[in-house]
Amino acid sequence: MTANHHVPAGSTAQGPYAAVVTPESAGWGYSGLKVLELAPGHSAEVATGDAETLVLPLNGACSVECGGERFDLAGRPDVFSRVTDFAYVPRDAAATVVSAEGGRFALPSARCGRRLPFRHGRAEDVPVELRGAGGSSRQVNNFCTPQAFKADRLIACEVLTPESNWSSYPPHKHDEATDTECELEEIYYFEVGSGPAGPGVAYQRVYGTEERPIDVLAEVRTGDVVTVPHGWHGPSMAVPGYDLYYLNVMAGPGEERAWRICDDPRHGWVRETWEKQEVDPRLPLYTAEGPSAARAGKGEWSR
């Protein structure tokens, strides 16, 4: 089943988009993602249709114009350098993305009902959370989570995992509507750091239940995507020598925009061990101010 949910880099390229995942191509109802690549001085027209959409710089800067308003996004050199600002584009809108120097821009999206205003999300307003401890330590940039930024259905965050650490762990799921869980489809978009010989690799695990099987163990590289319609997902494994980045995009049918998860009961006990471990001192890798400020220890601490 890995082949059905692991989308290698370039395999869904269309025009200026290096990756295209739609609800139709994923076989579900709400979550989507495109990765837009612009050469210096080039632009792209983005029609959102029935989906609220973000413009999130992966590398480079851009301007986003919609309905006579424009936001200039400062962006960043790459996903391992700093938190970025972003733009929110409502459903039923036409936007123009222009990049003077060129770059790559993620467009996470979610089919939704309400049409909210066109807005700018500032990098300095993005909560940076340090999650886990020991070898499960990771950094989460909660730029479009329910408590951080207003949207109708879309939930999105970035996760930075230092080399040799595991994240998205313990394995967890969110595929049922219960008091402790939300029904959310999820997209993982990956970028992996480079070493002396070039780009690195990482690994992603997804597995299901007897009633709802899914079986993914994917070796992922920069530009790869893994779709998670249901089931336990994790760990995301950063191999020695290569830091790991992934963008999570989530949406679902629930009226409440919430992100509640359920740990695999066979592995949830791992959380209890974190109380006796220190958070990896390499974290945070950065904040909105960049790497040097991050090394000074800014950020929100959470287990």
Side-chain angles (χ1 to χ4, degrees), residues 47-276:
T48 60
D50 62 359
E52 56 187 349
T53 302
L54 305 180
V55 179
L56 177 81
L58 298 172
N59 73 276
C62 69
S63 66
V64 184
E65 185 172 351
C66 179
E69 292 185 87
R70 190 180 95 172
F71 296 123
D72 294 321
L73 305 186
R76 54 189 168 185
D78 58 68
V79 296
F80 296 104
S81 61
R82 60 171 294 161
V83 175
T84 185
D85 54 351
F86 61 95
Y88 173 95
V89 184
R91 60 165 291 165
D92 301 316
T96 303
V97 182
V98 183
S99 180
E101 303 297 328
R104 299 170 64 251
F105 308 94
L107 276 61
S109 62
R111 283 178 170 158
C112 64
R114 290 188 299 162
R115 191 176 192 274
L116 302 178
F118 177 49
R119 281 167 292 146
H120 179 221
R122 303 190 312 162
E124 53 267 37
D125 293 335
V126 173
V128 173
E129 174 188 356
L130 301 186
R131 191 175 295 173
S136 298
S137 301
R138 61 272 202 183
Q139 171 178 339
V140 185
N141 300 334
N142 291 303
F143 68 95
C144 190
T145 52
Q147 293 75 31
F149 190 83
K150 185 176 181 179
D152 189 30
R153 289 189 184 273
L154 180 62
I155 298 173
C157 67
E158 300 178 309
V159 181
L160 284 302
T161 309
E163 57 99 4
S164 300
N165 282 11
W166 284 16
S167 59
S168 212
Y169 194 77
H172 58 279
K173 71 181 184 74
H174 40 68
D175 57 14
E176 299 180 274
T178 69
D179 291 342
T180 58
E181 194 175 336
C182 294
E183 185 178 353
L184 296 169
E185 312 150 350
E186 185 161 14
I187 299 168
Y188 278 68
Y189 165 80
F190 297 92
E191 297 206 0
V192 185
S194 294
V201 300
Y203 293 87
Q204 176 67 42
R205 181 76 170 113
V206 185
Y207 58 98
T209 62
E210 189 172 324
E211 297 78 18
R212 302 181 74 187
I214 184 172
D215 189 4
V216 179
L217 178 56
E219 183 175 283
V220 295
R221 294 170 170 79
T222 293
D224 284 11
V225 166
V226 169
T227 60
V228 185
H230 58 264
W232 311 105
H233 40 288
S236 303
M237 295 163 266
V239 306
Y242 303 96
D243 291 340
L244 173 63
Y245 163 97
Y246 53 87
L247 168 65
N248 287 142
V249 183
M250 291 169 278
E255 290 299 317
E256 181 188 13
R257 178 176 173 246
W259 183 12
R260 291 191 293 271
I261 67 170
C262 177
D263 286 339
D264 183 334
R266 293 169 295 181
H267 306 299
W269 64 269
V270 170
R271 290 186 187 274
E272 299 174 11
T273 69
W274 295 346
E275 295 298 330
K276 298 179 181 179

